[in-house]
């Protein structure tokens, strides 16, 4: 009897540790690697050279015309395999006048934004629902804490914005609040109750995210 009880206690303790450890592992940063870098499957490491550690996907931005739409050019693990295991990635944001990068989160990384041209209004909301905003000028840096909802808005009427964002993950991930809520099939009635409105309003909002023919 006592041995069975003791075993049950041990099992419960073990399960408790697993439950507590799971969220910690889920919110931690990229896992550490035990080699200098990660070689992609099927690649002969003896043939690697400096090209593997060079990403040229940003070159077209150098002499490009001012943006006409909000665009993000990424250098993350998907585009730049050498970043696997290095816990870092980049993105270049281009905002034409009056454009917005809608509220979104990066579940796996803090974002450090460096404004290189223009004036940019930024903000994020913490877990107490407090809004932190700032109007950045070229040369300013702003930190968006990991996992918190944030946005960027080009408040200028006649000028574009260029910013470079660094992330503390090779695959920071992006969860867009509007498209995640309105374009993933969540039931209209559930959304209407959640936003304290009616189904008709939700359907009108969803229509804006419908695929264009």
């Amino acid at each position: 009897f006592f041995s069975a009880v003791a075993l049950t206690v041990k099992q419960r303790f073990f399960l408790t540790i697993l439950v507590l450890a799971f969220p910690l592992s889920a919110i931690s940063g990229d896992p550490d690697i035990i080699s200098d870098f990660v070689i992609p499957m099927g690649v002969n490491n003896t043939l690697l050279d400096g090209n593997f550690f060079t990403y040229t996907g940003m070159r077209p931005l150098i002499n490009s015309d001012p943006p006409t739409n909000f665009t993000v050019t990424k250098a993350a693990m998907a585009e730049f395999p050498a970043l696997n295991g290095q816990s870092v990635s980049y993105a270049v944001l281009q905002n034409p006048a009056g454009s917005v990068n809608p509220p979104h989160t990066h579940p796996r990384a803090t974002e450090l934004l460096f404004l290189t041209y223009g004036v940019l209004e930024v903000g994020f909301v913490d877990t107490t629902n407090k809004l932190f905003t700032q109007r950045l000028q070229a040369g300013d840096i702003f930190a968006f804490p990991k996992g918190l909802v944030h946005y960027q808005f080009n408040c200028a009427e006649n000028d574009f914005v260029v910013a470079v964002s660094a992330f503390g993950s090779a695959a920071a991930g992006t969860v867009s609040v509007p498209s995640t809520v309105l374009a993933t099939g969540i039931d209209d009635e559930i959304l209407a109750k959640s936003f304290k409105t009616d189904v008709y309003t939700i359907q009108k909002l969803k229509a804006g995210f419908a695929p264009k023919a």
Side-chain angles (χ1 to χ4, degrees), residues 91-163:
V92 174
L93 286 66
Q94 296 177 286
N95 294 61
S99 66
V100 64
N101 187 5
H104 62 281
T105 71
H106 302 295
R108 294 185 289 274
T110 298
E111 176 181 357
L112 195 62
L113 181 144
F114 174 44
L115 186 61
T116 62
Y117 181 83
V119 177
L120 187 66
E121 183 178 313
V122 299
F124 71 84
V125 180
D126 72 6
T127 55
T128 69
N129 284 332
K130 180 177 179 180
L131 174 64
F132 297 81
T133 64
Q134 187 64 277
R135 182 166 290 194
L136 305 179
Q137 299 181 17
D140 291 347
I141 294 175
F142 192 85
F144 299 99
K146 178 179 178 180
L148 297 185
V149 173
H150 60 280
Y151 65 87
Q152 295 105 20
F153 170 56
N154 181 358
C155 47
E157 295 182 0
N158 301 305
D159 208 357
F160 63 95
V161 160
V162 179

Side-chain angles (χ1 to χ4, degrees), residues 159-181:
D159 208 357
F160 63 95
V161 160
V162 179
V164 178
S165 284
F167 300 92
S169 170
T174 299
V175 179
S176 171
V177 175
S179 60
T180 297
V181 171

Side-chain angles (χ1 to χ4, degrees), residues 32-132:
D32 288 335
I33 58 176
I34 55 174
S35 58
D36 295 333
F37 47 86
V38 177
I39 301 170
M41 292 288 292
V43 173
N44 186 338
N45 64 333
T46 63
L47 300 179
L48 288 180
D49 57 18
N51 288 315
F52 176 69
F53 300 97
T54 304
Y55 180 68
T56 61
M58 301 292 185
R59 286 183 182 178
L61 301 180
I62 300 303
N63 297 311
S64 63
D65 294 328
T68 56
N69 297 297
F70 171 71
T71 58
V72 178
T73 306
K74 296 180 179 180
M77 192 171 70
E79 299 81 17
F80 192 9
L83 296 182
N84 188 5
Q86 303 302 321
S87 301
V88 67
S89 58
Y90 273 111
V92 174
L93 286 66
Q94 296 177 286
N95 294 61
S99 66
V100 64
N101 187 5
H104 62 281
T105 71
H106 302 295
R108 294 185 289 274
T110 298
E111 176 181 357
L112 195 62
L113 181 144
F114 174 44
L115 186 61
T116 62
Y117 181 83
V119 177
L120 187 66
E121 183 178 313
V122 299
F124 71 84
V125 180
D126 72 6
T127 55
T128 69
N129 284 332
K130 180 177 179 180
L131 174 64
F132 297 81

